[in-house]
Amino acid sequence: MRRFHGDLLMGGAAIREIDGEVEERVRNHHQPRHGSFEMEAPQRSMMELGRPYLLLTDDGDSVELVVTDIGATVNPSRVLVQFESTDN
């Protein structure tokens, strides 16, 4: 897993300045990459399970992803978003 910082694009909206982890891209390997990030709990209403999003990281990587789970964290003002890539 590698750490990332970037923006999550969703149609005409965006969640800026998110931090998380994503599996490294493996050449000639057609399995989805998995990852996670935390965000503010009020932003949870912007997320839908199974809906496609685009993650643009500060290092120039991009990941087309779908959200697979949204769960609680120890901090009640934040949620943990789990995802997998669709751009194998």
Side-chain angles (χ1 to χ4, degrees), residues 63-77:
V63 181
E64 294 175 22
L65 62 88
V66 294
V67 173
T68 58
D69 187 54
I70 302 172
T73 66
V74 291
N75 181 343
S77 68

Side-chain angles (χ1 to χ4, degrees), residues 17-86:
E17 306 293 325
I18 60 173
D19 293 296
E21 293 185 327
V22 64
E23 290 178 336
E24 293 288 343
R25 189 179 308 263
V26 179
R27 287 190 193 274
N28 301 323
H29 192 74
H30 300 290
Q31 297 294 322
R33 295 189 289 165
H34 296 85
S36 64
F37 59 88
E38 287 189 19
M39 65 182 191
E40 298 295 322
Q43 294 173 317
R44 196 283 176 230
S45 64
M46 299 173 70
M47 307 297 294
E48 294 177 37
L49 296 178
R51 179 179 168 193
Y53 299 96
L54 179 63
L55 173 65
L56 299 176
T57 64
D58 289 352
D59 66 2
D61 192 14
S62 66
V63 181
E64 294 175 22
L65 62 88
V66 294
V67 173
T68 58
D69 187 54
I70 302 172
T73 66
V74 291
N75 181 343
S77 68
R78 300 190 59 79
V79 293
L80 178 66
V81 177
Q82 304 280 337
F83 64 86
E84 71 177 34
S85 69
T86 60

